[in-house]
């Protein structure tokens, strides 16, 4: 059964639409505030270094990365990854493993968009992420 909204969306340019946008902005702001509170004194992000780059198939890479701080791992999580070649462009990846004793994790990447193509074809061991 296809998903259907409970009520029709407000018409464009109406007070109802403005109210819906205001409510969405309040909810987004509250979600960001809650996330910042959960992060506490920890960083919102930190760099990692590529220490291994394997190409098991065409258009696929297995990156072994070592974050500068141990990744606070939770099963099923995803982490945002950015490369200096595409500043401000982030791609989310689920680590393939829990952090090893040395802190490394693997990211399995398929070349699909700008960031992932760079991770597969350009990034090499020693590069920062």
């Amino acid at each position: 059964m296809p998903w259907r909204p409970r009520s029709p969306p407000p018409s464009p340019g109406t007070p109802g639409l403005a109210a819906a946008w205001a409510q969405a902005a309040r909810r987004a702001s509250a979600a960001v505030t809650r996330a910042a509170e959960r992060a506490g004194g920890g960083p919102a992000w930190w760099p990692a270094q590529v220490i291994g780059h394997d190409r098991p198939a065409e258009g696929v890479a297995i990156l072994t990365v070592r974050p500068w701080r141990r990744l606070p791992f939770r099963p099923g999580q995803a982490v945002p990854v950015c490369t200096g070649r595409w500043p401000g462009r982030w791609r989310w990846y689920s680590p393939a493993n829990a952090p090893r004793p040395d802190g490394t994790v693997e990211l399995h990447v398929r070349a699909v968009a700008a960031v992932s193509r760079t991770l597969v074809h350009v990034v090499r061991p020693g590069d920062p992420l």
Side-chain angles (χ1 to χ4, degrees):
M1 176 179 215
W3 178 84
R4 297 189 200 295
R6 292 186 196 143
S7 60
S11 299
T14 65
L17 182 60
W21 274 107
Q23 180 184 13
R26 283 191 301 275
R27 292 178 75 184
S29 178
V32 168
T33 300
R34 284 191 305 273
E37 289 169 354
R38 281 195 309 269
W45 63 274
W46 54 88
Q49 183 177 25
V50 176
I51 62 167
H53 187 280
D54 296 318
R55 296 282 305 275
E58 181 61 35
V60 176
I62 299 174
L63 300 178
T64 303
V65 299
R66 180 179 293 127
W68 292 11
R69 288 182 55 176
R70 188 168 180 82
L71 183 67
F73 180 77
R74 291 194 176 129
Q77 81 183 58
V79 295
V81 176
C82 180
T83 171
R85 290 170 178 84
W86 290 100
R89 285 187 133 178
W90 297 83
R91 178 105 176 161
W92 288 82
Y93 295 97
S94 293
N97 60 289
R100 297 180 179 114
D102 66 356
T104 61
V105 294
E106 284 185 359
L107 301 174
H108 296 196
V109 181
R110 184 168 39 115
V112 176
V115 172
S116 61
R117 281 193 305 267
T118 299
L119 294 175
V120 171
H121 299 294
V122 180
V123 167
R124 293 292 172 252
D127 289 350
L129 298 179

